[in-house]
Amino acid sequence: MALTKEQIAQRIAKELKDGYYVNLGIGIPTLVANYIPEGVEVILQSENGMLGIGPFPLQGEADPDLINAGKQTVTVLPGGSFFDSSASFGMIRGGHVDLTVLGAFEVTDKGDIASWKIPGKMVKGMGGAMDLVASAKNIVVAMQHTSKDGQSKLLKECTLPLTGVACVKKIVSDLAVIDVTDEGFKLLERAPGVTVDDIRKATEGKLIVEGEIPEMQF
Amino acid sequence: MALTKEQIAQRIAKELKDGYYVNLGIGIPTLVANYIPEGVEVILQSENGMLGIGPFPLQGEADPDLINAGKQTVTVLPGGSFFDSSASFGMIRGGHVDLTVLGAFEVTDKGDIASWKIPGKMVKGMGGAMDLVASAKNIVVAMQHTSKDGQSKLLKECTLPLTGVACVKKIVSDLAVIDVTDEGFKLLERAPGVTVDDIRKATEGKLIVEGEIPEMQF
Amino acid sequence: MNKVVKDAQEAIAGIKDGMTLMVGGFGLSGIPENCITALVESGIKDLTCISNNAGVDDFGLGLLLQKRQVKKMISSYVGENAEFERQLLAGELEVDLIPQGTLAERCRAGGAGIPAFYVPAGYGTEVADNKEVRVFNGKPHLLEYGMVADFAIVKAWKGDTHGNLIYRNTANNFNQPMATAGKITIAEVEELVPAGTLDPNMIHTPGIYVQRIFQGKNYEKRIERKTER
Amino acid sequence: MNKVVKDAQEAIAGIKDGMTLMVGGFGLSGIPENCITALVESGIKDLTCISNNAGVDDFGLGLLLQKRQVKKMISSYVGENAEFERQLLAGELEVDLIPQGTLAERCRAGGAGIPAFYVPAGYGTEVADNKEVRVFNGKPHLLEYGMVADFAIVKAWKGDTHGNLIYRNTANNFNQPMATAGKITIAEVEELVPAGTLDPNMIHTPGIYVQRIFQGKNYEKRIERKTER
């Protein structure tokens, strides 16, 4: 059974360690905040200029001056801080954020990522994604393993314009957890009920399978 | 009569215009603050991180956290602000300071300045002087026209290590007010009782004298 | 010294057709609403706007786009504006898309007299086209240039008569770096106070960067994506 | 997450002979007095110290120089320290003198992941020796490099348990840029408060940059040049 978006987020949350500063991208990555393990304190960075993102505001308490990078209203936790965009990306570019989670259209077995543009169809801009992938110490991609018509999104080469090269460290898809190594995609875990063969068929890039591949634990 | 240090400062103060942001160097330039013309509001910048330098503190009110670039205790005026050193030099380098006044050992008729080092004798460092002279929109130098043994300090070429090249716009010495132009030192004013000939003898660099040269007014 | 102007109309005096403007804000948060309205009313056109986003169809910079006053946008993300997308695909609008951190740093650098600097963002992507690549510490970087604008237009929470500004929460965003990079910087504030009122340790933008300031009115502060528990 | 350490001794754990340290402060203002004392007591030697000044003979970094623990100083101005001058002229100390603004920006750039940038300061002087020169807007500039340190040691006025820092007046100076550029950053503060106490809009150094924090004691805060009316 392929994972739901919530389950992808839940699995990624297990990558969080106490004291981590984390940037969560728009979409599935944002959901990761709902699954932070007990006893683990992480501080969420938003590239529009804050540390310490809290839950969404209570009814009637939304503040137009307090939004996340997805333009959603949020709150700030005790110990949080606000700063300008150049300071915010200084933090990101300087490698001070421990973990970055973002979505992708395609990822290659060399760690290249395409996530911002579909020529002729979508011209929204890269926002902060290129800065994030170029500088993050540790990048986890949350994505669907295949497109709706079954085409693999874990490729040898991206077909879409790149966001960054050789940067993705780990992928959590609806089918698998995969490390991006010097040799290619290294399969770490399977989604419950999904076989190695299912994953092999859904992966166009080089897939390395060594030994027994365990099912994900939730 | 050659000007006193106070008179040099007093003459320089006449260069100040209302609304100017001004950086005053250590020594004679600091004295300029005592002669700001009535009706003229200038805001003094200190490169260690403040705008709005006020007078020295009253007896017993010196604050170790509130000093100028010369490490003297100062006060802050209403409307002042504090910021870090990189922000402070961003201000300077970005050309936001209207006028910089500093001292010099030597200046050339091309606007080069030497002010920070006497080889074998003095190794204190350049502090912020190189940043200031490289970026200030308008640089006025306060200096003695000659050394104690009568050697000119307004030269064709500096003999001492340079602080910056082609940057000085104006000189107020104990003998004269001089513009540094593309053609050389252009004499603007004489100190009271000092003749053009006196100034000519004291100036090794190319001196341009056109028409009647007035005495300075105080 | 007098930096205080009456209103947005007076503040934008001197902005002419074809000029380059920096406009602060992220999405609709922290945008200079009063000045944008005044620009729309002015009819000034052929503007190059440096702004992280392009507003929405009927608010923020979207209003300028609607009236076709913008020749070129320099932004990182313009996804919320359908009119923008239409003009772009129809070739009616020039667009320069720049990674967000690079955009912010280019403004900061412009204000700080740094003509150029190297960053890793965009290497290996189409953003790198025609850019100088240089390897530092084994990692390829792109040469990027500091940027200045004829006018920078920013919005702050509080300001004083010397031009000192304090922003609130995430409404700071691009306002702070852009405020440093205008040949003339205009600040509109929610509350204008006398010099000496604000704590000098808590100034985000020192007054040296601000040439004109006024207290704005009727702030709508529209929320793009209200999300509540 | 626990960043709070007991005292300076615990804070400097892991600093070893031969390491590079950034030390905040301008003159004697805003220097990390507790950590400097702990370093003197530790006997750690062959240090490279990046600090705008070198203290005075018997205070600040002068104490480390006195005990010959410093191999190299990277500073902009060292004029207040006679022992420094003696060691330098005797060839006992390496010194790299850097224009103050370039020094500050190199720290800021190191912290912000900018490996190199161009500035006009020092062009045409001995500071330009062996440096790349490049002309922008008709003006020659030097290529300068971002700097990081094994440890950055800073002093703040207030700090919280998340490592957020607020500086006071001109005691900010190099502390803020250096705090961003330590592989490990140690902050000593006059007052340590629980997270949530400080206004999130008024943080000079966000906690992300600070790995260790403690409340210092017995601050002398010596004044170099007391000048009164």
Side-chain angles (χ1 to χ4, degrees):
Chain A
M1 275 273 295
L3 301 188
T4 62
K5 288 179 180 182
E6 281 71 18
Q7 286 173 310
I8 293 177
Q10 198 176 348
R11 175 57 190 81
I12 289 174
K14 293 174 73 176
E15 304 292 317
L16 304 175
K17 293 200 172 66
D18 189 49
Y20 262 22
Y21 288 86
V22 180
N23 183 293
L24 299 176
I26 297 166
I28 300 178
T30 303
L31 301 175
V32 173
N34 300 331
Y35 300 101
I36 298 169
E38 216 165 317
V40 170
E41 186 179 10
V42 301
I43 294 177
L44 301 179
Q45 203 254 13
S46 193
E47 64 262 33
N48 56 318
M50 75 178 289
L51 279 168
I53 308 176
F56 293 129
L58 295 171
Q59 295 284 332
E61 295 187 1
D63 178 349
D65 292 337
L66 184 36
I67 62 172
N68 65 16
K71 280 105 180 176
Q72 296 170 311
T73 47
V74 293
T75 56
V76 61
L77 293 175
S81 56
F82 299 106
F83 33 85
D84 74 79
S85 298
S86 71
S88 184
F89 281 93
M91 223 169 257
I92 290 166
R93 201 185 303 104
H96 303 280
V97 174
D98 298 293
L99 179 67
T100 291
V101 183
L102 77 168
F105 302 145
E106 299 173 343
V107 173
T108 74
D109 52 21
K110 289 165 284 293
D112 300 348
I113 175 172
S115 68
W116 74 281
K117 186 180 184 182
I118 302 174
K121 267 175 105 173
M122 195 195 81
V123 278
K124 292 181 186 305
M126 68 291 284
M130 285 191 184
D131 311 274
L132 282 159
V133 301
S135 296
K137 282 186 282 195
N138 193 4
I139 300 175
V140 175
V141 166
M143 67 187 296
Q144 303 300 321
H145 214 104
T146 58
S147 64
K148 279 174 193 143
D149 57 355
Q151 297 294 309
S152 178
K153 296 176 158 200
L154 279 72
L155 305 170
K156 287 193 170 64
E157 298 293 339
C158 285
T159 65
L160 294 169
L162 293 177
T163 308
V165 294
C167 54
V168 176
K169 296 283 186 293
K170 185 171 275 197
I171 298 164
V172 178
S173 77
D174 53 336
L175 303 185
V177 179
I178 284 171
D179 261 2
V180 183
T181 71
D182 289 346
E183 283 74 41
F185 294 128
K186 183 165 198 292
L187 184 58
L188 298 182
E189 299 174 20
R190 297 171 291 121
V194 171
T195 67
V196 170
D197 208 47
D198 293 337
I199 295 165
R200 213 185 289 275
K201 279 177 195 155
T203 306
E204 190 226 70
K206 184 178 174 194
L207 187 73
I208 301 162
V209 181
E210 288 178 359
E212 199 66 27
I213 306 298
E215 271 194 5
M216 295 177 206
Q217 302 295 321
F218 287 93
Chain B
M1 275 274 295
L3 300 188
T4 62
K5 288 178 181 184
E6 280 71 19
Q7 285 173 311
I8 294 177
Q10 198 176 350
R11 174 59 190 81
I12 290 174
K14 293 175 73 177
E15 304 291 317
L16 303 175
K17 293 202 172 64
D18 189 48
Y20 262 21
Y21 288 86
V22 180
N23 183 293
L24 300 177
I26 297 167
I28 300 177
T30 303
L31 301 174
V32 173
N34 300 333
Y35 300 101
I36 298 169
E38 215 163 321
V40 169
E41 185 179 11
V42 301
I43 294 177
L44 302 180
Q45 202 254 14
S46 193
E47 64 262 33
N48 56 318
M50 74 178 290
L51 279 168
I53 307 177
F56 293 129
L58 295 171
Q59 296 285 331
E61 294 187 0
D63 178 348
D65 292 337
L66 185 35
I67 63 172
N68 66 15
K71 280 105 180 175
Q72 296 170 310
T73 47
V74 293
T75 56
V76 61
L77 293 175
S81 56
F82 300 105
F83 33 84
D84 74 79
S85 298
S86 72
S88 184
F89 281 93
M91 225 169 252
I92 289 167
R93 200 186 303 103
H96 304 280
V97 174
D98 298 293
L99 180 66
T100 291
V101 183
L102 77 170
F105 301 145
E106 300 173 344
V107 173
T108 73
D109 53 20
K110 288 164 287 292
D112 300 347
I113 176 173
S115 67
W116 73 282
K117 187 179 182 181
I118 302 174
K121 265 174 106 175
M122 194 194 83
V123 278
K124 291 184 187 302
M126 66 293 281
M130 286 192 183
D131 311 274
L132 281 159
V133 301
S135 296
K137 282 186 282 196
N138 193 4
I139 300 175
V140 176
V141 166
M143 67 189 294
Q144 303 301 321
H145 214 103
T146 57
S147 64
K148 281 176 194 141
D149 58 354
Q151 297 294 310
S152 176
K153 296 176 159 204
L154 280 71
L155 305 170
K156 288 193 170 63
E157 297 293 340
C158 286
T159 66
L160 294 170
L162 293 177
T163 309
V165 294
C167 54
V168 176
K169 298 281 186 292
K170 185 169 273 196
I171 299 163
V172 178
S173 77
D174 52 335
L175 301 185
V177 179
I178 284 172
D179 261 2
V180 183
T181 69
D182 289 347
E183 284 76 40
F185 293 127
K186 183 163 199 289
L187 184 59
L188 299 182
E189 299 174 22
R190 298 171 291 120
V194 171
T195 67
V196 170
D197 209 45
D198 293 336
I199 294 164
R200 213 186 288 273
K201 279 178 196 154
T203 307
E204 191 228 71
K206 184 177 175 194
L207 187 73
I208 300 162
V209 182
E210 288 178 0
E212 201 64 28
I213 305 299
E215 271 192 8
M216 296 179 206
Q217 303 296 321
F218 286 94
Chain C
M1 193 176 70
N2 186 17
K3 299 182 174 188
V4 179
V5 295
K6 191 163 62 51
D7 55 19
Q9 282 69 35
E10 193 178 330
I12 67 164
I15 300 184
K16 295 192 168 60
D17 291 358
M19 277 190 170
T20 297
L21 311 182
M22 285 185 186
V23 182
F26 178 91
L28 301 180
S29 192
I31 59 173
E33 297 184 17
N34 281 241
C35 284
I36 290 172
T37 302
L39 284 170
V40 170
E41 288 167 358
S42 75
I44 298 162
K45 58 183 194 305
D46 294 329
L47 293 169
T48 294
C49 288
I50 304 167
S51 181
N52 187 59
N53 309 93
V56 294
D57 285 16
D58 63 343
F59 200 61
L61 287 185
L63 298 169
L64 281 174
L65 285 162
Q66 236 179 37
K67 288 194 62 191
R68 314 289 284 272
Q69 293 174 265
V70 180
K71 187 182 70 178
K72 181 175 182 177
M73 283 295 311
I74 299 176
S75 304
S76 88
Y77 190 83
V78 293
E80 284 92 355
N81 192 320
E83 169 65 10
F84 179 99
E85 204 159 352
R86 194 200 62 69
Q87 288 186 24
L88 176 59
L89 293 171
E92 297 167 13
L93 184 68
E94 292 170 55
V95 178
D96 199 356
L97 289 172
I98 296 178
Q100 193 173 141
T102 299
L103 181 63
E105 191 64 21
R106 289 182 65 183
C107 297
R108 192 251 175 210
I114 294 174
F117 57 92
Y118 293 91
V119 291
Y123 170 75
T125 76
E126 64 183 56
V127 163
D129 289 353
N130 305 315
K131 285 189 181 152
E132 177 183 320
V133 175
R134 187 155 169 171
V135 174
F136 295 95
N137 309 315
K139 188 170 171 174
H141 289 73
L142 303 180
L143 182 69
E144 298 282 359
Y145 294 87
M147 248 179 347
V148 294
D150 295 310
F151 282 80
I153 306 175
V154 302
K155 151 77 175 21
W157 180 39
K158 293 185 180 179
D160 73 17
T161 51
H162 277 210
N164 293 300
L165 305 178
I166 296 177
Y167 308 99
R168 185 170 170 275
N169 300 354
T170 56
N172 180 335
N173 55 63
F174 279 82
N175 285 297
Q176 191 173 330
M178 285 180 173
T180 69
K183 288 176 200 164
I184 294 176
T185 292
I186 301 167
E188 57 172 89
V189 299
E190 291 182 53
E191 190 187 351
L192 182 62
V193 299
T197 313
L198 304 176
D199 179 345
N201 276 300
M202 301 301 163
I203 305 296
H204 294 124
T205 295
I208 193 171
Y209 293 111
V210 176
Q211 282 71 47
R212 302 176 190 174
I213 188 167
F214 69 98
Q215 183 168 311
K217 57 189 179 200
N218 303 326
Y219 281 105
E220 186 174 339
K221 296 180 95 169
R222 203 187 286 188
I223 294 177
E224 231 164 314
R225 295 200 185 142
K226 189 187 256 190
T227 321
E228 295 173 328
R229 255 178 282 179
Chain D
M1 194 175 72
N2 186 17
K3 299 182 174 187
V4 180
V5 295
K6 192 165 62 51
D7 55 20
Q9 282 69 34
E10 194 178 330
I12 67 163
I15 300 184
K16 295 191 169 58
D17 291 357
M19 278 189 169
T20 296
L21 310 182
M22 286 183 183
V23 183
F26 179 90
L28 301 180
S29 194
I31 59 172
E33 296 183 17
N34 281 240
C35 284
I36 291 172
T37 301
L39 284 170
V40 170
E41 288 168 359
S42 75
I44 298 162
K45 59 184 195 303
D46 293 329
L47 293 169
T48 294
C49 288
I50 304 168
S51 181
N52 187 58
N53 309 94
V56 294
D57 285 16
D58 63 343
F59 201 60
L61 288 185
L63 298 171
L64 281 174
L65 285 162
Q66 236 179 36
K67 287 196 60 191
R68 314 290 284 272
Q69 294 173 267
V70 180
K71 188 182 69 179
K72 182 175 183 177
M73 283 295 312
I74 299 177
S75 305
S76 88
Y77 190 82
V78 293
E80 285 91 355
N81 192 320
E83 169 64 11
F84 179 99
E85 204 158 353
R86 194 200 62 69
Q87 288 186 22
L88 176 59
L89 293 171
E92 297 166 12
L93 184 68
E94 293 171 54
V95 178
D96 199 357
L97 289 172
I98 296 178
Q100 192 172 145
T102 299
L103 181 63
E105 191 65 18
R106 288 182 65 184
C107 296
R108 192 251 176 209
I114 294 173
F117 57 93
Y118 292 91
V119 292
Y123 170 75
T125 77
E126 64 183 55
V127 162
D129 289 352
N130 304 314
K131 284 189 180 153
E132 177 182 320
V133 174
R134 189 154 168 171
V135 174
F136 295 95
N137 309 315
K139 188 169 172 172
H141 289 72
L142 303 181
L143 181 68
E144 299 282 359
Y145 294 88
M147 246 179 350
V148 293
D150 294 310
F151 282 80
I153 306 175
V154 302
K155 153 75 173 26
W157 181 39
K158 292 184 181 181
D160 73 15
T161 51
H162 277 209
N164 293 299
L165 305 178
I166 295 176
Y167 308 98
R168 184 169 171 276
N169 301 354
T170 56
N172 180 334
N173 56 61
F174 278 83
N175 285 298
Q176 191 173 331
M178 286 181 172
T180 69
K183 288 177 199 162
I184 294 175
T185 292
I186 300 167
E188 58 173 87
V189 300
E190 291 182 52
E191 191 186 352
L192 182 63
V193 299
T197 313
L198 305 175
D199 180 345
N201 276 300
M202 300 301 162
I203 303 297
H204 294 124
T205 296
I208 192 171
Y209 292 112
V210 176
Q211 281 70 48
R212 301 177 191 173
I213 189 166
F214 69 98
Q215 182 168 310
K217 57 189 179 199
N218 304 326
Y219 280 104
E220 186 175 338
K221 298 180 94 170
R222 205 186 285 186
I223 293 177
E224 231 164 315
R225 295 200 185 141
K226 188 186 257 191
T227 322
E228 295 173 327
R229 257 179 281 177

